[in-house]
Amino acid sequence: MEGDLQRIAGVNIRAYRKAKGVSQEQLADALGVHRTYMGGVERGERNLTLRSLERLAERMGVDPVDLLRAPE
């Protein structure tokens, strides 16, 4: 249970990023973070703030709530 939302967000971020044909490094550069940090986010190892999640969603062109929804 603990950390599930973190992992769900990471899985969704990776899926949206890949669907848009953007590399992890390109997304990290657009956000001003290091690629290894982005990898940690996608693996659910990093705890994003809501502000960071909103910023990331904006850069990806998705609704932040969509990044928190569990895949069906």
Side-chain angles (χ1 to χ4, degrees):
M1 183 83 162
E2 186 175 327
D4 283 349
L5 196 54
Q6 216 169 281
R7 283 186 289 280
I8 289 167
V11 166
N12 289 336
I13 290 165
R14 178 178 286 145
Y16 277 109
R17 175 183 60 75
K18 286 185 170 189
K20 293 188 179 279
V22 176
S23 73
Q24 202 174 65
E25 188 168 4
Q26 289 170 320
L27 181 58
D29 285 345
L31 294 167
V33 298
H34 197 274
R35 182 191 52 78
T36 57
Y37 173 80
M38 207 58 240
V41 167
E42 289 186 357
R43 289 188 301 275
E45 298 169 354
R46 297 288 184 156
N47 189 16
L48 290 171
T49 65
L50 293 175
R51 182 172 290 152
S52 295
L53 184 77
E54 286 177 328
R55 200 169 119 224
L56 202 153
E58 182 181 333
R59 292 281 184 176
M60 296 177 74
V62 300
D63 187 330
V65 175
D66 290 340
L67 296 178
L68 299 175
R69 285 197 177 103
E72 296 180 6

